[in-house]
Amino acid sequence: CIYFRSSSPLGGKRLSPKHKRHFLAAEKAEGGQADSSSQGAAFPPTFSLSEVKNKQRRHLMFMKLKQEKRKQKMQLKKKRRKEREALGDKAPPKEVPKTIENQRVYDETTVDPEDEEVAFDEGTDEFSAYFNRLTNPKVLITTSDRPRGRTVRFCEQLATVIPDAHVYYRRGLALKRIIPQCVARGFTYLMVINEDRKVPNGMVLCHLPDGPTAHFKVSSVRLRKEMKRRGKDPTMHSPEVILNNFSTRLGHTIGRLFAALFPHDPQFVGRQVATFHNQRDFVFFRFHRYIFKNEKKVGIQELGPRFTLKLRSLQKGTFDSKFGEYEWVLKRHEMDACRRKFQL
Amino acid sequence: MRFTPQVLIFGARCHVHLLSGTCFQQLILVCVCVCVCVCVCVSPQVIWDIIGNKQFCSFKVKTKSQNFCRNEFNLTGLCNRSACPLANSQYATIREEKGQCFLYMKVIERAAFPAKMWEKVKLSKNYEKALEQIDENLIYWPRFIRHKCKQRFTKITQYLIRMRKLVLKRQRKLVPLSRKVERREKRKEEKALIAAQLDNAIEKELLERLKQGTYGDIYNFPVHAFDKALEQQDEESESESEAEEEEEEDDEDVGRREFVAEDEVEESDLSDFEESSEEEEEEEEEMEVETKAKAKAKAKASGSKGKSPAGGSAARRKRAYVEIEYEQETQPAAKSTAT
């Protein structure tokens, strides 16, 4: 066996022939690298960093590579900026950065505002009764069996947000039996909050006189007392409704579904607004009180619960999970595969 | 008929190996000093002596108060001398399979044939008929077994009925959540929330609505908005007419001062303006004078109180006021003192 002097990096430990071979090889590589760095890249063209077995060395090489790249990028940026300044007014306009909304795959069901067919459909669908001011919304809010405290409080707060909403305990009743009774008593909406592990996680929204049933996944529920800087409790005035970004046919249907929850004429005196904002297939619900400070500025203060909805399925007709006809069902493998494709 | 062992068993521990479903009586070779091997079937009493209390029975489940028997053929489920299927050579049970009840019977004649030990009789679906069947099959059997069989059969039918009823009621469907998917969706939701910029969006929408006038005359801002928009309009498009009007206004300098003096009156004009028609404010977006006239016309059409001439003059006056401001810009020295 060969002894190394203590000045060597291994501190004079005894090396077996196998380690010795490795060490020598490493030295060679180092030497080679030192040579190459002084001469210029002498690596074979198919060299990749992952072939270097030594972790420290590999890491160092990678860092160097990154720094090089960063330097080049900065140089490029500087050059471009100089060119831009040189051109002055004639410079080409700044490029718009790519966002997911920009890159969204064009959905063929996107609604054109002047589309007559859509207008006709919407004039004769299940919500036409509401939009023609024939019915007033009346909502029944209930939960799944044996709700826990958080769900119960959530339901109560929802009832304050939606005017003319009534909360009833479920007590193990079957939905299919509840629905005819609701219709008989003049309810227009049935909202069932599903609960799992003491937290609301699903909502079934059923438009009653044989309207569509939507099943949502509910997430990020914040009750009133968990809100920061919130205002006082909402009053009994009817709020205004804002529906943002519902662009496709499906989005339109869902938007109308939400709109029909609230009475037609908002009472502006109350200065309350309920927002359903759709972003990338998530519908965010917020409830605010607003005040116009001047014509350019408005202040908003959040009251009321907030939650996020994601549509899982839309079924024609009232709630019937066995024999219902589904207009749209979330199929994860088809629909979630592309990150730039959205349904609502 | 019971076999009694005629040969004593010397110090031989016999563990009865019990396979599930079959009672297997081990043939024990007993060596007698005479070197004669005798095969003996162990009597049920002996079996009970062994497995009942003294030694191990693999079907027995011991709890603090009671012993249970896990054998499928057990009639009562308890570990008793009378209910043990291994320790009784004549035994009967009721078992159900897929909603069908069967009567199983074991007699001592078949004790040597484990494969054919249990006799299976299918019971009728009719409760009374089935009871009669049980009676007929178990005629001359011990009272205990007959009674327990009927009790067991009753219990089984009751739970089958309950099962059938439950199927008709609401079924709860458990949907499993995939952790990976949930995590991904949570992240997507966070990103979407950031991208949404909700507060900005809401504020923008509210201001849009204010501009379009959906709020009517609840707020006083519309006037200022109207003014500002008018200013912009004048700046952009009517530079020529400004030039002309400046000349005119030179002539009307004296008149202008009157207008300036009418600052106080302007408020009454304002109030008139507001009271005249609520819908006038709705047309704020149409800030051009031409369309303002149209708005006036519309207001008239929608039944305002006919103060349109006053409104019109107010508009004109307002417009003049605005022009004064322009004059200020061009001739600050002259007019700044006046205003």
Side-chain angles (χ1 to χ4, degrees), chain A residues 135-157:
Chain A
T135 54
N136 284 327
K138 192 171 172 196
V139 183
L140 177 73
I141 303 182
T142 182
T143 63
S144 53
D145 287 339
R146 300 194 178 253
R148 313 295 294 189
R150 209 179 150 82
T151 314
V152 171
R153 271 177 279 149
F154 180 54
C155 289
E156 286 168 20
Q157 292 183 8

Side-chain angles (χ1 to χ4, degrees), chain A residues 145 217 219-220 240-241, chain B residues 170 172 185 189 209 215 221:
Chain A
D145 287 339
K217 174 175 100 144
S219 44
S220 321
E240 300 170 43
V241 181
Chain B
R170 314 162 49 207
R172 181 167 300 176
E185 293 228 323
E189 190 191 317
R209 288 190 183 181
Y215 297 128
F221 310 136

Side-chain angles (χ1 to χ4, degrees), chain A residues 129-307:
Chain A
Y130 167 81
F131 284 105
N132 294 333
R133 294 184 176 240
L134 295 171
T135 54
N136 284 327
K138 192 171 172 196
V139 183
L140 177 73
I141 303 182
T142 182
T143 63
S144 53
D145 287 339
R146 300 194 178 253
R148 313 295 294 189
R150 209 179 150 82
T151 314
V152 171
R153 271 177 279 149
F154 180 54
C155 289
E156 286 168 20
Q157 292 183 8
L158 269 182
T160 56
V161 162
I162 303 173
D164 201 11
H166 306 266
V167 183
Y168 283 96
Y169 275 129
R170 180 77 174 270
R171 287 160 109 236
L173 301 169
L175 280 183
K176 284 199 205 159
R177 298 242 181 95
I178 301 180
I179 285 173
Q181 290 188 21
C182 284
V183 175
R185 288 184 206 191
F187 280 96
T188 55
Y189 263 101
L190 174 67
M191 190 191 286
V192 184
I193 311 277
N194 188 56
E195 190 205 13
D196 177 47
R197 293 223 200 138
K198 308 178 193 174
V199 138
N201 76 343
M203 171 176 355
V204 173
L205 195 54
C206 182
H207 186 80
L208 273 182
D210 57 55
T213 309
H215 176 43
F216 296 97
K217 174 175 100 144
V218 170
S219 44
S220 321
V221 173
R222 296 274 172 276
L223 299 176
R224 234 171 245 146
K225 66 178 188 178
E226 293 158 11
M227 306 275 220
K228 296 183 182 170
R229 288 186 281 271
R230 70 176 166 98
K232 297 204 179 132
D233 286 336
T235 57
M236 296 307 296
H237 299 110
S238 316
E240 300 170 43
V241 181
I242 292 181
L243 300 164
N244 275 342
N245 285 352
F246 289 96
S247 55
T248 62
R249 284 300 294 271
L250 181 67
H252 256 238
T253 320
I254 302 294
R256 285 159 73 80
L257 195 78
F258 290 135
L261 275 172
F262 295 93
H264 301 282
D265 300 310
Q267 291 165 318
F268 297 126
V269 183
R271 285 187 287 125
Q272 288 169 147
V273 58
T275 312
F276 292 91
H277 181 104
N278 171 39
Q279 188 81 16
R280 302 183 194 174
D281 280 354
F282 288 98
V283 178
F284 298 102
F285 172 82
R286 300 287 184 269
F287 193 70
H288 292 278
R289 185 173 280 140
Y290 64 87
I291 179 160
F292 284 107
K293 296 182 191 157
N294 54 41
E295 74 277 6
K296 287 262 178 80
K297 252 177 116 190
V298 58
I300 53 175
Q301 190 187 41
E302 186 156 8
L303 1 149
R306 67 156 80 154
F307 52 91

Side-chain angles (χ1 to χ4, degrees), chain B residues 24-55:
Chain B
F24 181 68
Q25 285 168 338
Q26 195 176 20
L27 294 173
I28 300 164
L29 285 168
V30 180
C31 263
V32 193
C33 52
V34 194
C35 293
V36 169
C37 293
V38 179
C39 296
V40 172
C41 285
V42 188
S43 91
Q45 184 55 43
V46 173
I47 296 176
W48 181 250
D49 274 340
I50 297 166
I51 62 174
N53 294 314
K54 298 206 186 115
Q55 296 197 21

